[in-house]
Amino acid sequence: MSGREHVEGMWTMWSRKHRHRGVLASCLAPRACGGAAGFTFIEIMVVVAILAILAALVIPRIMGRTDDAKRTAAKVQIRNIEGALQLYKLDNGVYPSTEQGLKALVEKPSVGVIPKKWKIGGYLPKLPEDPWSNPYKYLSPTQKGEFKGEYEITSLGTDGEVGGEGINADITNWNLDKD
């Protein structure tokens, strides 16, 4: 008796002993259901078709959200930069000037008003780039229409240019709650 016949015989004995478990137990044995073990080409094609339909439904929803995710990431980064600016002001009494820029949060400024209580190690580990790999723009003080603030942090958005609408709109610290 060959090894294969021995295994098939054991499956047959096992399935006879465990008939109370139903049809599934007898169909687990190779050739016990009348066919070869494995999946047919039709079965595989049905599974592939189902996966293709699911992918066609899910992928566009995921792919269309990347711009929204990047805009949200930019807003979170701007809030983090704002927190670092607040700490800078608490230590030094003023915000970094436009000339000093956001770099003053990472390295002690060497131009403009030199802070006397600048925190060793900085206020940010490194300057983040916006999600479109552009540097954030920083102005201090600022005047934007009726909005007057001590500083402005701006990401130029998807297009990397000033202005724009929709996904191309600029993201600034004073319009984070827009959209």
Side-chain angles (χ1 to χ4, degrees), residues 68-86:
D68 292 340
K70 285 184 175 186
R71 291 186 64 78
T72 300
K75 291 176 182 182
V76 168
Q77 286 179 333
I78 289 172
R79 284 191 177 104
N80 289 340
I81 293 170
E82 281 187 308
L85 285 168
Q86 296 299 325

Side-chain angles (χ1 to χ4, degrees), residues 6-179:
H6 180 69
V7 170
E8 286 179 358
M10 290 181 71
W11 272 108
T12 305
M13 286 176 36
W14 182 85
S15 65
R16 283 185 192 147
K17 277 185 175 180
H18 298 91
R19 285 178 198 250
H20 65 277
R21 293 193 181 186
V23 178
L24 180 61
S26 64
C27 285
L28 289 174
R31 302 182 195 273
C33 291
F39 297 106
T40 65
F41 180 71
I42 300 280
E43 291 170 328
I44 292 172
M45 291 308 296
V46 168
V47 170
V48 168
I50 291 170
L51 291 174
I53 291 168
L54 286 173
L57 294 173
V58 172
I59 288 175
R61 291 183 183 171
I62 294 171
M63 297 306 288
R65 305 289 307 215
T66 52
D67 288 328
D68 292 340
K70 285 184 175 186
R71 291 186 64 78
T72 300
K75 291 176 182 182
V76 168
Q77 286 179 333
I78 289 172
R79 284 191 177 104
N80 289 340
I81 293 170
E82 281 187 308
L85 285 168
Q86 296 299 325
L87 291 173
Y88 183 97
K89 184 176 181 182
L90 281 173
D91 288 349
N92 302 296
V94 295
Y95 290 108
S97 66
T98 302
E99 183 182 24
Q100 293 168 331
L102 294 174
K103 192 174 181 180
L105 299 174
V106 179
E107 298 174 4
K108 186 173 183 176
S110 57
V111 296
V113 177
I114 309 296
K116 292 182 172 112
K117 296 181 182 177
W118 191 84
K119 179 181 155 193
I120 296 173
Y123 298 89
L124 288 173
K126 66 176 189 156
L127 279 180
E129 290 183 332
D130 72 10
W132 300 277
S133 299
N134 298 315
Y136 285 98
K137 307 293 182 198
Y138 174 76
L139 294 172
S140 179
T142 184
Q143 176 75 40
K144 188 80 157 185
E146 292 184 21
F147 176 81
K148 183 177 180 185
E150 297 183 86
Y151 61 86
E152 178 180 333
I153 307 165
T154 304
S155 167
L156 298 179
T158 305
D159 61 358
E161 297 178 12
V162 175
E165 294 182 15
I167 61 170
N168 294 327
D170 295 348
I171 304 165
T172 61
N173 58 303
W174 48 268
N175 74 355
L176 291 177
D177 297 327
K178 260 187 168 178
D179 328 288

